[in-house]
Amino acid sequence: MNVGKNITASQINFLASSKYVSFQTLVDDTNAAVVTDDLGRKVIPAGTILPANDKTAQGITTDEVDVTDNAQLVGLIQEGWIYGQRLPVAPTADAAKAMTAIHFKDAEALGLTGSTGGSKPAGQ
């Protein structure tokens, strides 16, 4: 007997390094990044730049979070190395510049050279 819909989930690894710093932040369904999934739930995808992908950017979400019923805590990466091309939405130049401790290993491919702290860690 099948009680519900079978859903397959996949998440692309956007971390370029195993070392990063994140802090919890509260998000709710009023955020512009909210999408409705196949089950009708309101979620903010992992890798979302918050609070917005612009000069107000503070960090990148570590996980997908369901905000359908109420606000939820989610980890917000505020320091580390990221593959920007693997995020749900690539960072804008303003967002990359605002997140001063986040570096994009693929900054050159994103056209962000000069707006972030570098494109590759030393020795790479």
Side-chain angles (χ1 to χ4, degrees):
M1 171 158 72
N2 189 357
V3 188
K5 190 176 185 180
N6 288 333
I7 302 290
T8 302
S10 65
Q11 181 173 319
I12 296 173
N13 179 19
F14 53 83
L15 295 171
S17 170
S18 62
K19 296 180 181 180
Y20 62 90
V21 176
S22 73
F23 297 96
Q24 290 187 332
T25 190
L26 194 63
V27 292
D28 61 27
D29 65 354
T30 63
N31 188 283
V34 170
V35 295
T36 303
D37 69 9
D38 293 340
L39 299 174
R41 307 292 295 176
K42 294 178 181 179
V43 298
I44 296 177
T48 298
I49 298 170
L50 292 179
N53 192 358
D54 59 20
K55 65 181 179 178
T56 66
Q58 296 175 2
I60 300 169
T61 59
T62 57
D63 301 291
E64 181 175 288
V65 62
D66 185 333
V67 294
T68 304
D69 298 321
N70 51 24
Q72 298 291 325
L73 287 173
V74 66
L76 192 67
I77 298 171
Q78 295 184 335
E79 181 178 331
W81 285 90
I82 304 291
Y83 289 110
Q85 291 179 315
R86 295 182 184 176
L87 297 175
V89 177
T92 63
D94 285 340
K97 192 173 185 178
M99 298 182 292
T100 58
I102 293 179
H103 307 283
F104 295 94
K105 189 161 184 185
D106 53 359
E108 194 171 305
L110 290 166
L112 298 175
T113 307
S115 63
T116 185
S119 60
K120 294 183 180 174
Q124 301 231 348

